[in-house]
Amino acid sequence: MPVSPSRPLALLLLAGALAAGAPWPATAQDDAPRPVRKPKQALDDRADTGATLTNEVGAGTHLGAKATQPGTYLGDKSRAAVQRYYAEHPLDCGGGGCAAPAWQIGMPLPAAAPLAAVPASLLASLPKAPPGVRYVRVAGDILLVASGSRMVVDGIKAP
């Protein structure tokens, strides 16, 4: 059977079209717009160089979200626990009395204010102190004080 000269030419053209990568028809999915995604925000504060835990507690910043006011950290349960403790363990202040130096929430304690440790049995019934804050006892008052600045974050006066 003789080969016509047009047949090899047609095969050659077909092979060339396939080798050149003739585009396939696009599907509808390829034409759909893709959603724009925002980059993820970092979860740490390494770029925040001005923040310090001890000075920002109670200031209403991202480190202390609650504004400093009475009862922000120490509520009715804490007050009841302090009253129960002092009912079982009365204050013994000697002859000098139990007058605590004047303190105010949001202000630092006076430098002369004598700080004492809170008894362990009372500390166990109080909520855990936030970062950068510790419990102290001044005369009979139980205070939450910022570790570096001695600012009073919250407190309970002795009964």
Side-chain angles (χ1 to χ4, degrees), residues 97-118:
C98 290
W103 56 268
Q104 183 180 354
I105 294 177
M107 300 299 294
L109 277 173
L115 303 180
V118 177

Side-chain angles (χ1 to χ4, degrees), residues 49-77:
T49 57
T52 57
L53 287 176
T54 57
N55 293 336
E56 298 288 335
V57 172
T61 66
H62 68 286
L63 296 173
K66 295 181 179 179
T68 304
Q69 60 185 352
T72 299
Y73 296 100
L74 301 174
D76 293 336
K77 284 185 178 182

Side-chain angles (χ1 to χ4, degrees), residues 11-157:
L11 289 174
L12 185 63
L13 288 175
L14 180 63
L18 290 175
W24 292 93
T27 62
Q29 186 179 25
D30 290 339
D31 295 335
R34 297 184 189 255
V36 177
R37 297 183 187 203
K38 295 180 182 178
K40 291 183 180 179
Q41 184 178 0
L43 297 176
D44 60 8
D45 289 329
R46 284 184 263 187
D48 192 5
T49 57
T52 57
L53 287 176
T54 57
N55 293 336
E56 298 288 335
V57 172
T61 66
H62 68 286
L63 296 173
K66 295 181 179 179
T68 304
Q69 60 185 352
T72 299
Y73 296 100
L74 301 174
D76 293 336
K77 284 185 178 182
S78 301
R79 291 184 204 309
V82 170
Q83 289 174 354
R84 254 191 328 271
Y85 177 80
Y86 282 128
E88 296 171 5
H89 307 90
L91 282 172
D92 182 21
C93 299
C98 290
W103 56 268
Q104 183 180 354
I105 294 177
M107 300 299 294
L109 277 173
L115 303 180
V118 177
S121 58
L122 176 57
L123 194 59
S125 62
L126 296 174
K128 184 177 176 184
V133 176
R134 62 188 174 112
Y135 284 103
V136 296
R137 185 169 53 95
V138 177
D141 299 346
I142 306 299
L143 305 175
L144 264 174
V145 177
S147 298
S149 65
R150 292 176 51 121
M151 181 186 82
V152 178
V153 177
D154 205 349
I156 300 174
K157 294 209 181 266

